[in-house]
PDB file of all heavy atoms in Angstrom:
ATOM      1  N   TYR A 278      -8.848  -0.103  40.520  1.00 97.00           N
ATOM      2  CA  TYR A 278      -8.020  -1.287  40.263  1.00 97.00           C
ATOM      3  C   TYR A 278      -8.881  -2.548  40.333  1.00 97.00           C
ATOM      4  O   TYR A 278      -8.815  -3.413  39.447  1.00 97.00           O
ATOM      5  CB  TYR A 278      -6.907  -1.309  41.320  1.00 97.00           C
ATOM      6  CG  TYR A 278      -6.077  -2.551  41.364  1.00 97.00           C
ATOM      7  CD1 TYR A 278      -5.059  -2.753  40.448  1.00 97.00           C
ATOM      8  CD2 TYR A 278      -6.292  -3.513  42.356  1.00 97.00           C
ATOM      9  CE1 TYR A 278      -4.271  -3.890  40.494  1.00 97.00           C
ATOM     10  CE2 TYR A 278      -5.509  -4.655  42.420  1.00 97.00           C
ATOM     11  CZ  TYR A 278      -4.505  -4.834  41.487  1.00 97.00           C
ATOM     12  OH  TYR A 278      -3.726  -5.958  41.545  1.00 97.00           O
ATOM     13  N   ALA A 279      -9.737  -2.622  41.353  1.00 96.00           N
ATOM     14  CA  ALA A 279     -10.571  -3.812  41.534  1.00 96.00           C
ATOM     15  C   ALA A 279     -11.520  -3.990  40.350  1.00 96.00           C
ATOM     16  O   ALA A 279     -11.709  -5.098  39.838  1.00 96.00           O
ATOM     17  CB  ALA A 279     -11.362  -3.703  42.843  1.00 96.00           C
ATOM     18  N   GLU A 280     -12.097  -2.883  39.909  1.00 97.00           N
ATOM     19  CA  GLU A 280     -13.047  -2.930  38.796  1.00 97.00           C
ATOM     20  C   GLU A 280     -12.342  -3.323  37.486  1.00 97.00           C
ATOM     21  O   GLU A 280     -12.894  -4.071  36.667  1.00 97.00           O
ATOM     22  CB  GLU A 280     -13.607  -1.511  38.657  1.00 97.00           C
ATOM     23  CG  GLU A 280     -14.933  -1.385  38.003  1.00 97.00           C
ATOM     24  CD  GLU A 280     -15.311   0.106  37.907  1.00 97.00           C
ATOM     25  OE1 GLU A 280     -14.740   0.947  38.653  1.00 97.00           O
ATOM     26  OE2 GLU A 280     -16.168   0.406  37.070  1.00 97.00           O
ATOM     27  N   ALA A 281     -11.140  -2.813  37.285  1.00 98.00           N
ATOM     28  CA  ALA A 281     -10.399  -3.128  36.059  1.00 98.00           C
ATOM     29  C   ALA A 281     -10.141  -4.634  35.972  1.00 98.00           C
ATOM     30  O   ALA A 281     -10.337  -5.253  34.926  1.00 98.00           O
ATOM     31  CB  ALA A 281      -9.087  -2.354  36.014  1.00 98.00           C
ATOM     32  N   LEU A 282      -9.729  -5.222  37.101  1.00 97.00           N
ATOM     33  CA  LEU A 282      -9.476  -6.665  37.098  1.00 97.00           C
ATOM     34  C   LEU A 282     -10.769  -7.436  36.901  1.00 97.00           C
ATOM     35  O   LEU A 282     -10.819  -8.416  36.158  1.00 97.00           O
ATOM     36  CB  LEU A 282      -8.815  -7.084  38.415  1.00 97.00           C
ATOM     37  CG  LEU A 282      -7.356  -6.679  38.558  1.00 97.00           C
ATOM     38  CD1 LEU A 282      -6.825  -7.112  39.907  1.00 97.00           C
ATOM     39  CD2 LEU A 282      -6.504  -7.296  37.449  1.00 97.00           C
ATOM     40  N   GLU A 283     -11.815  -6.981  37.577  1.00 97.00           N
ATOM     41  CA  GLU A 283     -13.107  -7.659  37.514  1.00 97.00           C
ATOM     42  C   GLU A 283     -13.662  -7.659  36.080  1.00 97.00           C
ATOM     43  O   GLU A 283     -14.092  -8.673  35.568  1.00 97.00           O
ATOM     44  CB  GLU A 283     -14.064  -6.895  38.462  1.00 97.00           C
ATOM     45  CG  GLU A 283     -15.444  -7.479  38.623  1.00 97.00           C
ATOM     46  CD  GLU A 283     -15.462  -8.742  39.478  1.00 97.00           C
ATOM     47  OE1 GLU A 283     -14.614  -8.874  40.374  1.00 97.00           O
ATOM     48  OE2 GLU A 283     -16.332  -9.594  39.211  1.00 97.00           O
ATOM     49  N   ARG A 284     -13.615  -6.508  35.436  1.00 98.00           N
ATOM     50  CA  ARG A 284     -14.270  -6.389  34.122  1.00 98.00           C
ATOM     51  C   ARG A 284     -13.378  -6.763  32.945  1.00 98.00           C
ATOM     52  O   ARG A 284     -13.864  -7.187  31.907  1.00 98.00           O
ATOM     53  CB  ARG A 284     -14.773  -4.956  33.932  1.00 98.00           C
ATOM     54  CG  ARG A 284     -15.969  -4.638  34.834  1.00 98.00           C
ATOM     55  CD  ARG A 284     -16.404  -3.203  34.698  1.00 98.00           C
ATOM     56  NE  ARG A 284     -16.689  -2.828  33.319  1.00 98.00           N
ATOM     57  CZ  ARG A 284     -16.879  -1.579  32.914  1.00 98.00           C
ATOM     58  NH1 ARG A 284     -16.823  -0.594  33.795  1.00 98.00           N
ATOM     59  NH2 ARG A 284     -17.132  -1.315  31.647  1.00 98.00           N
ATOM     60  N   PHE A 285     -12.062  -6.556  33.107  1.00 98.00           N
ATOM     61  CA  PHE A 285     -11.185  -6.775  31.951  1.00 98.00           C
ATOM     62  C   PHE A 285     -10.046  -7.752  32.241  1.00 98.00           C
ATOM     63  O   PHE A 285      -9.258  -8.082  31.357  1.00 98.00           O
ATOM     64  CB  PHE A 285     -10.610  -5.440  31.464  1.00 98.00           C
ATOM     65  CG  PHE A 285     -11.704  -4.457  31.107  1.00 98.00           C
ATOM     66  CD1 PHE A 285     -12.063  -3.447  31.987  1.00 98.00           C
ATOM     67  CD2 PHE A 285     -12.388  -4.592  29.909  1.00 98.00           C
ATOM     68  CE1 PHE A 285     -13.082  -2.568  31.679  1.00 98.00           C
ATOM     69  CE2 PHE A 285     -13.410  -3.706  29.588  1.00 98.00           C
ATOM     70  CZ  PHE A 285     -13.757  -2.690  30.469  1.00 98.00           C
ATOM     71  N   GLY A 286      -9.926  -8.172  33.499  1.00 97.00           N
ATOM     72  CA  GLY A 286      -8.876  -9.130  33.830  1.00 97.00           C
ATOM     73  C   GLY A 286      -7.490  -8.519  33.834  1.00 97.00           C
ATOM     74  O   GLY A 286      -6.491  -9.229  33.816  1.00 97.00           O
ATOM     75  N   SER A 287      -7.404  -7.185  33.852  1.00 98.00           N
ATOM     76  CA  SER A 287      -6.095  -6.548  33.741  1.00 98.00           C
ATOM     77  C   SER A 287      -6.139  -5.179  34.406  1.00 98.00           C
ATOM     78  O   SER A 287      -7.160  -4.505  34.375  1.00 98.00           O
ATOM     79  CB  SER A 287      -5.748  -6.375  32.260  1.00 98.00           C
ATOM     80  OG  SER A 287      -4.653  -5.500  32.114  1.00 98.00           O
ATOM     81  N   ASP A 288      -4.992  -4.769  34.985  1.00 97.00           N
ATOM     82  CA  ASP A 288      -4.954  -3.407  35.522  1.00 97.00           C
ATOM     83  C   ASP A 288      -4.469  -2.430  34.448  1.00 97.00           C
ATOM     84  O   ASP A 288      -4.236  -1.258  34.734  1.00 97.00           O
ATOM     85  CB  ASP A 288      -4.101  -3.326  36.801  1.00 97.00           C
ATOM     86  CG  ASP A 288      -2.669  -3.754  36.573  1.00 97.00           C
ATOM     87  OD1 ASP A 288      -2.300  -4.073  35.420  1.00 97.00           O
ATOM     88  OD2 ASP A 288      -1.897  -3.783  37.554  1.00 97.00           O
ATOM     89  N   LYS A 289      -4.291  -2.924  33.215  1.00 97.00           N
ATOM     90  CA  LYS A 289      -4.010  -2.013  32.099  1.00 97.00           C
ATOM     91  C   LYS A 289      -4.834  -2.427  30.889  1.00 97.00           C
ATOM     92  O   LYS A 289      -4.304  -2.784  29.838  1.00 97.00           O
ATOM     93  CB  LYS A 289      -2.516  -1.972  31.787  1.00 97.00           C
ATOM     94  CG  LYS A 289      -1.802  -3.311  31.824  1.00 97.00           C
ATOM     95  CD  LYS A 289      -0.343  -3.078  31.475  1.00 97.00           C
ATOM     96  CE  LYS A 289       0.415  -4.355  31.261  1.00 97.00           C
ATOM     97  NZ  LYS A 289       0.609  -5.154  32.469  1.00 97.00           N
TER      98      LYS A 289
END
Side-chain angles (χ1 to χ4, degrees):
Y278 171 79
E280 204 182 341
L282 286 178
E283 184 74 30
R284 289 177 55 191
F285 303 101
S287 167
D288 60 3
K289 41 179 189 291

